[in-house]
């Protein structure tokens, strides 16, 4: 488990490779700056080293260009996918000054946010995956309040009722454990849970 705690954010990350594989085909990225936070999950097509080769492109791009917009980042990632297997990619960016959270995804990486303790936000991703081909994006932005909680996960994580998981967990660690205990070993699995503290 990777953990990040600041005055603005508490976050935990889980990752597990498919049973029998040494390498996970998913890659995650997270970076906390003074005025914003950015995180991403990339799910490489397939599993193992070939899938990871595609998914790690996202980590490389975000490390260098994290100050850019989500659209700019996804277009950059897409350009580098030429000749690779491809990957489903989701990026979340939290602006601590404007109190907004942005999300964009191409593929089957899911995102949920519990806003104001009772409203469930579940933006629909763009179908497909990044492969170097021209791609249409649909970045969405939402205001957030102190105490809002979010969850992002690859398709190796199955959650029967995301809203119940977010509302009934009691705390971020409880949410993390609930999801962790539900994961089987049949696929690569990555999830990020976060709580906005300011």
């Amino acid at each position: 488990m990777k953990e990040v705690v600041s005055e603005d954010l508490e976050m935990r990350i889980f990752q597990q490779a498919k049973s029998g594989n040494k390498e996970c085909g998913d890659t995650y990225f997270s970076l906390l700056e003074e005025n914003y936070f950015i995180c991403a999950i990339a799910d490489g097509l397939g599993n193992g080293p070939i899938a990871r080769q595609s998914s790690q492109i996202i980590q490389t791009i975000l490390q260098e260009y994290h100050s850019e917009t989500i659209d700019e980042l996804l277009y950059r990632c897409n350009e580098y996918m030429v000749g690779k297997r491809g990957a489903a990619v989701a990026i979340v960016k939290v602006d601590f000054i404007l109190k907004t959270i942005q999300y964009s995804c191409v593929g089957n990486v899911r995102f949920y946010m519990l806003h104001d303790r009772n409203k469930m936000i579940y933006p629909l991703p763009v179908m497909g995956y990044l492969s170097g081909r021209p791609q249409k994006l649909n970045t969405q932005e939402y205001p957030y309040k102190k105490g809002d909680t979010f969850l992002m996960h690859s398709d190796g994580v199955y959650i029967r009722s995301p809203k119940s998981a977010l509302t009934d967990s009691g705390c971020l660690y409880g949410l993390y454990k609930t999801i962790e205990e539900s994961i089987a070993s049949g696929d690569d699995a990555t999830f990020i849970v976060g709580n906005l503290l300011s």
Side-chain angles (χ1 to χ4, degrees), residues 42-171:
D43 182 351
L45 298 193
N47 55 70
I50 295 175
R52 191 160 184 83
Q53 184 183 48
S54 292
S55 68
Q56 282 187 319
I57 287 171
I58 281 67
Q59 189 178 56
T60 302
I61 295 294
L62 268 63
Q63 186 68 54
E64 184 171 355
Y65 299 104
H66 54 82
S67 62
E68 294 185 347
T69 68
I70 290 180
D71 282 6
E72 289 169 334
L73 292 167
L74 284 170
Y75 283 129
R76 281 187 186 275
C77 292
N78 193 44
E79 288 174 10
Y80 279 82
M81 287 293 176
V82 174
K84 304 287 194 302
R85 177 78 65 89
V89 180
I91 302 176
V92 169
K93 199 166 192 178
V94 180
D95 188 313
F96 299 131
I97 305 300
L98 298 176
K99 304 297 182 189
T100 58
I101 185 165
Q102 292 184 328
Y103 162 84
S104 193
C105 177
V106 178
N108 56 2
V109 179
R110 304 298 184 204
F111 174 82
Y112 308 91
M113 185 170 82
L114 186 65
H115 177 61
D116 203 17
R117 305 193 185 280
N118 59 20
K119 181 182 178 182
M120 187 71 163
I121 294 172
Y122 171 45
L124 294 175
V126 173
M127 299 307 292
Y129 56 93
L130 298 185
S131 63
R133 297 174 183 169
Q135 189 60 249
K136 183 179 179 182
L137 303 178
N138 184 27
T139 298
Q140 297 166 72
E141 181 176 286
Y142 307 93
Y144 75 82
K145 289 187 174 182
K146 180 180 179 179
D148 284 1
T149 304
F150 67 86
L151 159 66
M152 181 164 59
H153 67 84
S154 67
D155 67 351
V157 178
Y158 173 74
I159 304 168
R160 183 182 298 274
S161 174
K163 186 171 185 179
S164 294
L166 286 162
T167 55
D168 298 344
S169 57
C171 65

